[in-house]
Every structure is written in C-alpha cells, then in structure tokens.
C-alpha cells in the first residue's frame, strides 16, 4: 500500500465531492428550476435543471440501475485503492470516486425518491448539447487522465513501461 497515493486519491475524491455538492447546494438555494444566469454571456451559463437519467438525459426511467452501477464503481474503487502506487492513477481514481459519489448522492437523496432521485445539473456551455455538473466534469477529466496514463504505458505502480518488441 502507498500512503501517498491513497491519501491523494482520498483528497481528490473529497475535493471533487465537496465542490459538486457545494455547487449544487448553491444552485438549488439561489436559482429557480429552469432559470438561466449568464456567467460569460452565452458562452457559459448556469441553467438549473433536474436530470432523471444519465448524460444527455439518456436512460431516463432506469435511474435505479444507474444508482447500482455508481455504487458498484464506488465499492470497487475503495476495494482496489490500496493496490495503487501511482499518483497519476490515484488522481484518476479519486476523480471517478468523487464524481460517482456526487451523482449517486443525488440519486439516493433527492426527489422523487431513494434510488431514483434526479441529478442536479446547471453548467451550460455554448455549443455543447448537454447541461452538466461538477461531478460530471470530474468523471470526464478522469477519463482523459485514464487515456493519457494508458497511452504513456504508466502502470498502477507508477512505472512507465517501454514498448516491448513482439516475439515471433
């Protein structure tokens, strides 16, 4: 176990979760549902909506399945975390953990009920076809970091593997 990697994973997850839930609290207490507030004109706006599905409101009606999948991801990351030695991978898993926990908190605690709650979304970027939240940013950022670490052949131990010639 790497205490540094585990500590970083936990810190990243807590920051992502805290920013997500804090921003959702500010939105739900200061904006009316479907209200839009320009931040940078039309380029960036806060637009408060409740999302009953996944990204792009897909899988509406299957919220309980999304809740189970997110809880499964959370449990897996917590179980797997002691194996991580790389600070890059710890950051990636921390972002996924914080983001998944942020959205599953909404699904478990918000109306219309436990396991089927609607996720609070509010970030609208001009030209982008969806409204999203900080948890979504954390998960998407994690996927970008996953691609970078994978393409650079960085192992969970932090060691960058050289491409080995294929044997015949």
């Amino acid at each position: 176990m790497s205490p540094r990697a585990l500590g970083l994973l936990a810190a990243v997850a807590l920051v992502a979760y805290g920013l997500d839930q804090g921003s959702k609290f500010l939105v739900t207490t200061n904006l009316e549902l479907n209200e839009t507030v320009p931040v940078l004109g039309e380029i960036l706006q806060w637009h408060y909506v409740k999302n009953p599905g996944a990204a792009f409101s897909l899988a509406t009606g299957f919220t309980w399945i999304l809740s189970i999948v997110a809880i499964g991801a959370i449990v897996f990351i917590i179980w797997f975390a002691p194996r991580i030695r790389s600070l890059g991978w710890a950051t990636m898993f921390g972002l996924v953990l914080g983001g998944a926990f942020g959205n599953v908190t909404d699904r478990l605690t918000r109306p219309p009920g436990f396991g089927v709650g609607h996720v609070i979304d509010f970030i609208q970027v001009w030209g982008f076809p969806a409204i999203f939240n900080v948890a979504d940013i954390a998960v998407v950022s994690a996927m970008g970091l996953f691609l970078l670490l994978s393409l650079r052949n960085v192992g969970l131990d932090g060691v960058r593997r050289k491409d080995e010639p294929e044997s015949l």
Side-chain angles (χ1 to χ4, degrees):
M1 174 170 30
S2 170
R4 284 183 57 209
L6 198 55
L8 179 62
L9 187 153
V12 168
L14 287 171
V15 167
Y17 180 74
L19 289 172
D20 178 65
Q21 291 299 297
S23 62
K24 288 173 179 175
F25 173 78
L26 290 172
V27 166
T28 58
T29 57
N30 292 295
L31 297 178
E32 295 294 323
L33 187 61
N34 295 314
E35 181 179 356
T36 301
V37 177
V39 177
L40 293 173
E42 290 185 15
I43 294 173
L44 175 65
Q45 300 179 354
W46 299 155
H47 183 159
Y48 172 25
V49 296
K50 294 180 180 180
N51 182 352
F56 304 100
S57 293
L58 296 173
T60 300
F62 295 96
T63 305
W64 61 275
I65 293 174
L66 299 171
S67 298
I68 291 169
V69 169
I71 291 168
I74 290 165
V75 169
F76 172 79
I77 291 170
I78 291 169
W79 170 79
F80 189 76
R83 294 168 178 80
I84 301 167
R85 308 280 182 273
S86 162
L87 297 181
W89 283 106
T91 301
M92 192 280 300
F93 280 108
L95 287 167
V96 173
L97 182 61
F101 197 52
N103 282 337
V104 84
T105 296
D106 286 5
R107 294 185 197 289
L108 296 178
T109 64
R110 295 195 187 274
F114 183 80
V116 294
H118 295 178
V119 173
I120 302 301
D121 286 333
F122 63 93
I123 302 170
Q124 185 171 25
V125 177
W126 181 84
F128 190 73
I131 301 171
F132 52 95
N133 59 45
V134 175
D136 299 331
I137 293 170
V139 171
V140 169
S141 297
M143 294 305 98
L145 186 52
F146 171 83
L147 288 173
L148 180 65
L149 292 167
S150 296
L151 290 172
R152 295 194 70 221
N153 288 328
V154 176
L156 290 172
D157 58 1
V159 175
R160 186 171 179 198
R161 308 288 190 284
K162 300 285 184 199
D163 290 334
E164 297 179 20
E166 294 183 32
S167 58
L168 297 174

